[in-house]
Amino acid sequence: MFEQFLAFLGALMDQTGLAHFWWGNAVMIAVGCTMIYLAVAKGYEPLLLVGIGFACVIANVPGSDLTQPGGLFHYAYQGVQLLIVPPLIFFGVGAMTDFAPMIANPKLVILGAAAHLGIFVALIGAKLLGFTLNEAGAIGIIGGADGPMAIFMTIKLAPHLLPQISVAAYSYMALMPLIQPPVMKLLTTREERLIRMKQSRHVTRLERIAFPIVIGIIVNLFFPPVAPLITMLMLGNLFREVLVVSRLAKTAANDLMNIIIIILTLAIGSTMAADRFLTLETIEIVGLGLVAFVFGTGSGVVGAKIMNLFLKEKINPLLGSAGIASVPIAARVSHNVALEYDKENYLIYHAMGPNLAGVFGTAISGAIMLALLGVK
Amino acid sequence: MTMPDSLYGAVMLSLIDFFASMVMITGIGVVLALFPLLNRIGKVDEDALRKRQH
């Protein structure tokens, strides 16, 4: 009878998660808790890290059905995998964003492409490490510092790498205030950092309304592979700028955006199961992501310095690093570094121009990459 | 025709993509530089738009 009792107890244990728990789960639960700690105690991207961290913890508790078909986390991931979530994020971002700095100073738009050298350095690095060309493309796009675009490209090129790439992209975006300044200071002189920018011209309501319509046409005409994202970005922005549907613009920018952030963070966190995440591949991707951010920052600054060779009215090269996208973090970094040297040199408005152009730069790079790789 | 899955393909893809992106984004810059011309068409009355809010 005692043996039977032990057998039943054993069978019962087998049905719990405890029997399938291994050290990798413990590591990933610690990673999830660290994310929550960084968000709560240090204030690092709390909107993202709280949800990702919690879903990461739950995804590493064996036996949890939430990440299996029928579970809510699973369906959150479906929203990402079916490319419903990334365009909706762009929709909300469009409704939140003032594109006037970009419209007012078109020459700074070039910095949105110059700061993307990191994409290609990481791409070649990934190929050297033995990744396939499609995987290398997805890894490279981390350097675009644009979370939804990184997810979009990864789903198209290498969906099995989504957890690593999305975590690397969002983590480095949160860490940009630490990554960028040393590179920016290394590549500029004190005199260059002190350059003040002339006040930008006023952008009229007509131009603001025309902008999303014109860009919507251009993107669908020339870059159909990434049109779903940029089109939604422009629709959100049109809602904002026409002024007659402010109710919809507010919903897109606030309530809808918040819901989508919840879905996105749960989806990303739920993919961080130890058996998929604790691999050499992950370390390589995280390393390449850092390389991409460093080179992107550097190429943006150097791009601005090259522009200064041809411009009569010099631009502050610190604006170059803002071209890496990651709106508005990179623009804020440019502004703060300039303020360290001149307390009255406010670069934020000017930095938003290349920063917003960086979103288009990443999208264009992504569209060309998909076309060259023959992926639809 | 697609890129070969090799280091050569990665370098080619990078070169073409970087310069093509540069050209395309410069094109967008040129379009934006023409935006002030829109103001010759007319002016939008912001106050009227705000009153017509739905």
Side-chain angles (χ1 to χ4, degrees):
Chain A
M1 177 160 165
F2 184 66
E3 278 174 10
Q4 253 184 343
F5 175 76
L6 284 180
F8 278 124
L9 209 61
L12 195 67
M13 271 292 286
D14 271 349
Q15 287 182 41
T16 67
L18 214 56
H20 307 282
F21 195 86
W22 63 294
W23 64 266
N25 294 126
V27 170
M28 291 310 292
I29 287 173
V31 169
C33 290
T34 306
M35 285 180 171
I36 297 171
Y37 168 77
L38 288 174
V40 177
K42 303 285 178 186
Y44 286 163
E45 297 289 321
L47 288 177
L48 298 172
L49 290 188
V50 172
I52 295 177
F54 183 76
C56 172
V57 169
I58 300 302
N60 283 284
V61 178
S64 169
D65 282 342
L66 277 166
T67 56
Q68 305 302 320
L72 192 63
F73 289 5
H74 172 79
Y75 293 115
Y77 180 70
Q78 293 299 304
V80 174
Q81 197 175 30
L82 295 171
L83 295 176
I84 297 166
V85 170
L88 285 176
I89 295 177
F90 264 55
F91 178 51
V93 170
M96 291 163 84
T97 307
D98 178 5
F99 281 93
M102 186 177 157
I103 303 169
N105 208 342
K107 65 175 178 282
L108 294 183
V109 167
I110 296 167
L111 296 174
H116 284 99
L117 190 69
I119 294 177
F120 309 109
V121 174
L123 189 155
I124 293 169
K127 192 64 214 162
L128 282 170
L129 287 174
F131 287 95
T132 67
L133 195 52
N134 280 17
E135 289 172 339
I139 293 167
I141 217 78
I142 297 173
D146 183 336
M149 187 57 75
I151 291 172
F152 185 85
M153 290 292 291
T154 306
I155 293 288
K156 294 259 181 191
L157 293 173
H160 55 286
L161 295 182
L162 183 66
Q164 291 94 328
I165 289 176
S166 50
V167 168
Y170 279 106
S171 305
Y172 285 133
M173 278 159 62
L175 294 173
M176 279 175 88
L178 299 175
I179 298 169
Q180 286 196 303
V183 182
M184 295 158 74
K185 289 174 188 174
L186 185 72
L187 295 172
T188 51
T189 63
R190 187 183 161 79
E191 288 68 38
E192 285 173 328
R193 284 173 231 141
L194 288 170
I195 293 174
R196 288 194 179 187
M197 300 290 293
K198 209 177 84 182
Q199 196 177 353
S200 298
R201 72 175 179 86
H202 171 71
V203 177
T204 65
R205 182 60 49 188
L206 182 60
E207 291 174 78
R208 286 167 179 269
I209 294 172
F211 176 78
I213 299 169
V214 171
I215 296 293
I217 293 169
I218 291 175
V219 167
N220 279 278
L221 205 59
F222 292 102
F223 317 109
V226 290
L229 293 184
I230 301 295
T231 304
M232 291 306 287
L233 181 77
M234 292 298 101
L235 177 64
N237 190 245
L238 184 64
F239 279 3
R240 172 195 163 95
E241 299 298 353
V242 290
L243 300 178
V244 292
V245 287
S246 51
R247 234 172 69 185
L248 301 184
K250 275 181 195 155
T251 302
N254 299 306
D255 304 340
L256 179 67
M257 192 65 172
N258 291 339
I259 293 166
I260 292 299
I261 288 172
I262 294 169
I263 295 171
L264 176 74
T265 55
L266 293 182
I268 292 172
S270 68
T271 60
M272 292 172 70
D275 52 343
R276 287 177 67 187
F277 206 79
L278 288 180
T279 60
L280 178 65
E281 227 175 36
T282 303
I283 297 169
E284 289 173 344
I285 291 170
V286 169
L288 287 164
L290 183 61
V291 168
F293 269 65
V294 168
F295 272 88
T297 302
S299 67
V301 173
V302 172
K305 290 174 75 141
I306 293 171
M307 279 176 72
N308 273 346
L309 297 175
F310 304 97
L311 292 173
K312 206 185 277 178
E313 204 172 285
K314 307 293 178 206
I315 57 172
N316 190 317
L318 295 177
L319 296 177
S321 59
I324 201 169
S326 187
V327 180
I329 306 171
R332 224 182 287 144
V333 173
S334 298
H335 175 73
N336 289 337
V337 174
L339 279 185
E340 277 179 37
Y341 297 88
D342 178 356
K343 295 280 173 231
E344 287 174 9
N345 193 6
Y346 302 110
L347 283 188
I348 189 73
Y349 186 84
H350 304 282
M352 282 306 290
N355 201 198
L356 294 166
V359 176
F360 294 100
T362 310
I364 291 169
S365 287
I368 294 168
M369 195 183 288
L370 289 175
L372 290 173
L373 290 173
V375 177
K376 291 210 169 175
Chain B
M1 188 180 158
T2 55
M3 287 288 160
D5 192 350
S6 61
L7 186 61
Y8 171 78
V11 173
M12 283 301 287
L13 173 70
S14 300
L15 286 173
I16 296 172
D17 197 337
F18 186 64
F19 287 106
S21 303
M22 208 61 137
V23 171
M24 295 293 184
I25 207 128
T26 305
I28 290 179
V30 171
V31 172
L32 292 181
L34 299 173
F35 262 46
L37 297 176
L38 283 170
N39 297 316
R40 292 188 186 177
I41 298 170
K43 202 180 153 195
V44 174
D45 185 348
E46 292 193 21
D47 293 332
L49 287 180
R50 285 203 172 90
K51 276 180 199 153
R52 261 185 266 150
Q53 253 183 60
H54 290 277

